[in-house]
Amino acid sequence: MKIGILQAGHTPAELLSSHGDYDGMFCRLLDGHGFSFAAYDVENMVFPGSIRDADGWVVTGSKHGAYEDHAFIPALERFIREAHAGDVPLVGVCFGHQIAAQALGGRVVKHIGGWSLGRQIYETAGGGRLALNAWHQDQVVDLPEGAVCLAGSASCPNAILAYGNRVLTVQPHPEYGSDLIADFVALRQGTGTYPDDRMEAAKEDRHSAVDNVRLGAVIARFFLTRHADVDA
């Protein structure tokens, strides 16, 4: 099965040599399930020729907001709507989670509660718990018709969404290892953009376990079986 990775952003230049770019992170996250991969730099308007160029799609994170005025955003929204209408499975992560919701009729805003940084705990619809790394301020606040929330938290109620068997999206980052979070903090702490207390908490929690492998298996299972269930 071929998975196309739609790169809506890139790893900061200072961290590329140590962590690689977002496409490589998703290749590692989904390794071992028999997938092949192709990456497209959609942030710079490099799009596939067709939704059929891959058997499934991943939309990555980005430094941009889904509601911002960038040429690639309307084009990416069209692609998402075409994939959804064409029954080609799509997974969105962070910005990908937000742009999928916006493209399909939901609403994304800059969250009044501010940034979610580092390890966060999410409660699943089935009563379970997930620990995942986050790095975002924007959130999906109004769900598109037909979207179902699979997991959330007090600070991020709509953290994982399923749209039938066609789209699965995740606000936190199962592709982000705790070492990357530590380097993000080191790179950005003191810039004035992020609250000091939340940056300190992200630094303190960097050694705590996260459920990246579990979420990777959930995403792989969704592509292979079209079944979206974070409690399985």
Side-chain angles (χ1 to χ4, degrees):
M1 185 176 189
K2 181 180 177 181
I3 304 300
I5 300 173
L6 304 176
Q7 284 190 249
H10 299 274
T11 305
E14 299 92 333
L15 304 181
L16 263 175
S17 62
S18 53
H19 296 283
D21 211 345
Y22 291 161
D23 58 336
M25 295 180 198
F26 280 102
C27 291
R28 292 190 291 274
L29 179 69
L30 298 174
D31 188 33
H33 297 279
F35 299 137
S36 62
F37 300 93
Y40 302 85
D41 187 359
V42 297
E43 183 188 24
N44 290 304
M45 297 301 293
V46 179
F47 278 83
S50 165
I51 61 169
R52 307 292 174 189
D53 286 357
D55 303 302
W57 299 98
V58 171
V59 184
T60 74
S62 177
K63 66 182 180 182
H64 304 295
Y67 44 75
E68 293 176 357
D69 183 16
H70 302 288
F72 83 95
I73 287 178
L76 182 54
E77 287 184 310
R78 286 193 296 272
F79 190 93
I80 290 167
R81 287 191 290 268
E82 289 173 7
H84 181 262
D87 195 24
V88 181
L90 181 139
V91 168
V93 172
C94 198
F95 171 86
H97 169 81
Q98 298 159 11
I99 195 71
Q102 182 171 285
L104 297 172
R107 186 166 66 98
V108 178
V109 301
K110 195 172 293 295
H111 182 44
I112 192 171
W115 287 91
S116 292
L117 303 172
R119 184 177 183 268
Q120 307 289 317
I121 302 296
Y122 304 93
E123 305 291 334
T124 71
R129 286 160 58 90
L130 288 165
L132 294 165
N133 285 314
W135 200 278
H136 68 95
Q137 185 173 9
D138 295 345
Q139 290 195 26
V140 177
V141 292
D142 294 330
L143 302 190
E145 183 178 354
V148 174
C149 183
L150 302 183
S153 68
S155 61
C156 183
N158 300 312
I160 303 180
L161 302 177
Y163 303 65
N165 65 353
R166 300 188 180 196
V167 177
L168 173 66
T169 67
V170 183
Q171 177 60 71
H173 285 278
E175 81 283 15
Y176 277 12
S178 296
D179 54 344
L180 178 58
I181 292 294
D183 284 349
F184 273 156
V185 171
L187 181 65
R188 294 168 172 170
Q189 195 165 23
T191 61
T193 301
Y194 308 94
D196 289 339
D197 58 339
R198 298 187 188 186
M199 292 290 266
E200 284 298 324
K203 184 191 296 184
E204 290 299 317
D205 280 347
R206 69 190 185 277
H207 297 305
S208 300
V210 289
D211 292 310
N212 289 2
V213 172
R214 179 178 166 191
L215 253 291
V218 167
I219 292 170
R221 184 170 62 246
F222 172 72
F223 279 131
L224 293 167
T225 70
R226 307 294 290 275
H227 184 60
D229 186 355
V230 297
D231 289 297

